[in-house]
Amino acid sequence: MDRKARVYHILWLSLPYVGLAVWGALCITDNLWYDEAYTAALISHPLKELVEITSQDVHAPFYYILLKGFYALCGGGTHYWSLKLFSLLWMFAYLLLGKYGVKKLYDEETSVYFMLFSILMPSLCVQAGNARMYAMGLFFFTAVGLLACGILRQSSPVKWILFCLCSIGSVYSHTFSMIETFILYLILLGALLHRKKYALLKWYLGSGLAVAACYMAWLLVVYRQMQSRIAAAGVNEQLFVPDMYTLMDYCKEWFSAMDTPIMSVIYLGMALTLFLGYYAVDSMRSGKCYIPGWGMGILGLTALTGGLLSYYVTPCFLGRYIFPGFGALALLYAVGMKRISSLRIRAAVLLVFLYCFALQYRAELKLEYDKGLQEYEAFYESNIGEEDLLMATDIHPLLLSVYHPEKQYMGYGYLPPFSPFQNTTVFTQWEQLESVMGNIWLIGFADRDMPGFSPYYGLEQAFQFHYMYYDFVIYRLAPME
């Protein structure tokens, strides 16, 4: 083994553990943003209620059921590092797919670049410690894609069985990973017919029917959810009008982060994709291996499907929804990088990737280690009594309720029927406050107007703090004399 091969082999052995360490630093705090708090609140419900709530919202329950079991094994409580650890384990498993699956599909060098770009990609850095289903979806869909490619090269019953099982996991991870899986099945069918592998069609149909049968019950739920969203969106026909700004919002999530975008990271990420994409296309053309193109086609068609659904049916698509397919983007980068013959150009590409990663990683560390939660907890311990009532101006400030789930909370005016936050009622009339023996505290966002409580109460600002993406303000309702 020459020196270059030895270096790549050492990287091939170590990169999954490098990813585990790098992403692990984002997974050891209790800081949660709203969607993560939604997850924490949802898994606190009994299993039957969990399924009922997800059937009214937009997510399949598979991720939440698995997370609930893992959370219980880790001890439960209000320490939420275990929720992030669950995502980290899926990300580590994804890197192992890259380590072994991509090496089998291509070679060790391509596998190294696949893992390296996966670790350095800002969007994967953002999602790695996110207590959401995207990391699980990334693993299952990447496994489905690698198995499909393996089947085309050399089929076996074991591969078809694993392909079917991973497909079921993928379609139940997220609605848009279901769409990605459906498109992949269509591409696989076309490839089987093009290569005249008619003997494999019985396996293909058997796998497809098994996945369809398993998902059919939830597909009906998704249809009902879409109908309810159409009814809600009908109130405002201009709720979603795609334009260049919408595309930029998608690019923020694909190349940086939606809520904390770094413009240089976004533009450099787009440029790197075009640059490496050129070399990847050149590699596909010369080697007659179009796997990266198929993967990018799935991403593009899924994004197009989401945009069309949002425009013509109901607003339902965010950029991060195609994240389970981002293994295809990492493979495009890897194949393109290997095609570059100049070591100087390779070094320059890696330096730009490292620059983008460092900026985004620093921003994510700042969020994860934000001291706002400790400031809020100190205020809570000093000021909130057992008989006090906490009220939120809308559902989003209720995210703080997961840190004190035993406390009684109210949402001002309205809560959706699928709200997972426990011990929470809706404030609609003054009589509800008459039985409160202690203080009434109103939690909202500092950049929004507070609801009025006159002539019964006035608002006295008691505390203001910044926490992750939000500037919170807490008022005490003071009775009017």
Side-chain angles (χ1 to χ4, degrees), residues 38-63:
Y38 181 102
T39 299
L42 184 55
I43 63 171
S44 66
H45 287 264
L47 193 59
K48 181 181 178 181
E49 293 180 10
L50 185 156
V51 174
E52 290 175 349
I53 293 172
T54 53
S55 69
Q56 296 179 70
D57 198 359
V58 294
H59 307 299
F62 180 51
Y63 162 77

Side-chain angles (χ1 to χ4, degrees), residues 175-292:
T175 301
F176 279 87
S177 65
M178 178 270 292
I179 294 173
E180 289 174 333
T181 305
F182 176 74
I183 296 172
L184 186 147
Y185 264 73
L186 293 179
I187 292 175
L188 178 58
L189 176 61
L192 290 173
L193 293 175
H194 177 71
R195 299 188 180 190
K196 298 181 180 180
K197 296 190 175 185
Y198 304 124
L200 298 182
L201 290 180
K202 62 181 181 180
W203 285 98
Y204 174 87
L205 291 173
S207 174
L209 289 173
V211 175
C214 289
Y215 192 72
M216 186 58 65
W218 196 257
L219 184 62
L220 297 175
V221 174
V222 172
Y223 176 77
R224 188 173 69 246
Q225 291 169 349
M226 294 289 284
Q227 294 300 309
S228 64
R229 277 178 166 261
I230 292 171
V235 178
N236 185 0
E237 295 181 356
Q238 301 300 317
L239 191 60
F240 185 90
V241 182
D243 53 24
M244 288 302 294
Y245 296 102
T246 305
L247 178 60
M248 181 52 67
D249 283 343
Y250 294 158
C251 288
K252 288 177 182 177
E253 291 201 284
W254 295 339
F255 300 105
S256 179
M258 181 62 193
D259 294 296
T260 54
I262 302 173
M263 297 312 297
S264 62
V265 172
I266 296 170
Y267 291 127
L268 286 172
M270 296 166 69
L272 286 169
T273 302
L274 292 174
F275 183 77
L276 291 175
Y278 168 81
Y279 283 97
V281 169
D282 187 52
S283 176
M284 286 186 282
R285 184 178 57 186
S286 62
K288 305 300 180 182
C289 179
Y290 302 103
I291 294 171

Side-chain angles (χ1 to χ4, degrees), residues 3 32 67 79 124 128 132 136 147 176 179 184 197 222 227 288 300 326 338 358 367 381 404 419 449 454-455 458 477:
R3 183 179 179 183
L32 303 176
L67 179 61
H79 296 291
L124 268 69
R132 302 292 287 161
M136 185 180 79
L147 285 165
F176 279 87
I179 294 173
L184 186 147
K197 296 190 175 185
V222 172
Q227 294 300 309
K288 305 300 180 182
F326 263 38
K338 189 188 174 188
L367 283 172
E381 294 298 326
H404 300 279
S419 170
D449 294 334
S454 61
L477 270 62

Side-chain angles (χ1 to χ4, degrees), residues 206-414:
S207 174
L209 289 173
V211 175
C214 289
Y215 192 72
M216 186 58 65
W218 196 257
L219 184 62
L220 297 175
V221 174
V222 172
Y223 176 77
R224 188 173 69 246
Q225 291 169 349
M226 294 289 284
Q227 294 300 309
S228 64
R229 277 178 166 261
I230 292 171
V235 178
N236 185 0
E237 295 181 356
Q238 301 300 317
L239 191 60
F240 185 90
V241 182
D243 53 24
M244 288 302 294
Y245 296 102
T246 305
L247 178 60
M248 181 52 67
D249 283 343
Y250 294 158
C251 288
K252 288 177 182 177
E253 291 201 284
W254 295 339
F255 300 105
S256 179
M258 181 62 193
D259 294 296
T260 54
I262 302 173
M263 297 312 297
S264 62
V265 172
I266 296 170
Y267 291 127
L268 286 172
M270 296 166 69
L272 286 169
T273 302
L274 292 174
F275 183 77
L276 291 175
Y278 168 81
Y279 283 97
V281 169
D282 187 52
S283 176
M284 286 186 282
R285 184 178 57 186
S286 62
K288 305 300 180 182
C289 179
Y290 302 103
I291 294 171
W294 295 344
M296 294 303 294
I298 292 172
L299 285 180
L301 288 172
T302 305
L304 178 62
T305 301
L308 292 175
L309 283 173
S310 290
Y311 186 75
Y312 289 106
V313 183
T314 180
C316 63
F317 182 64
L318 297 173
R320 61 178 172 269
Y321 288 174
I322 68 168
F323 177 79
F326 263 38
L329 185 58
L331 184 61
L332 181 85
Y333 290 157
V335 171
M337 188 69 162
K338 189 188 174 188
R339 186 66 175 175
I340 299 173
S341 58
S342 170
L343 292 179
R344 290 185 178 181
I345 295 178
R346 286 194 186 191
V349 169
L350 286 176
L351 283 174
V352 175
F353 257 101
L354 281 168
Y355 171 79
C356 294
F357 167 78
L359 287 182
Q360 196 69 56
Y361 190 68
R362 182 180 65 177
E364 293 306 307
L365 284 174
K366 185 178 179 181
L367 283 172
E368 288 298 335
Y369 291 90
D370 189 309
K371 299 297 183 181
L373 180 60
Q374 289 90 326
E375 295 173 8
Y376 169 71
E377 290 286 10
F379 173 83
Y380 187 99
E381 294 298 326
S382 301
N383 295 274
I384 309 299
E386 292 185 4
E387 296 182 334
D388 290 1
L389 171 71
L390 291 167
M391 184 186 298
T393 53
D394 58 68
I395 191 171
H396 286 85
L398 274 174
L399 73 90
L400 294 172
S401 68
V402 299
Y403 297 106
H404 300 279
E406 76 288 347
K407 194 70 179 175
Q408 291 296 319
Y409 291 83
M410 275 191 179
Y412 181 84
Y414 169 78

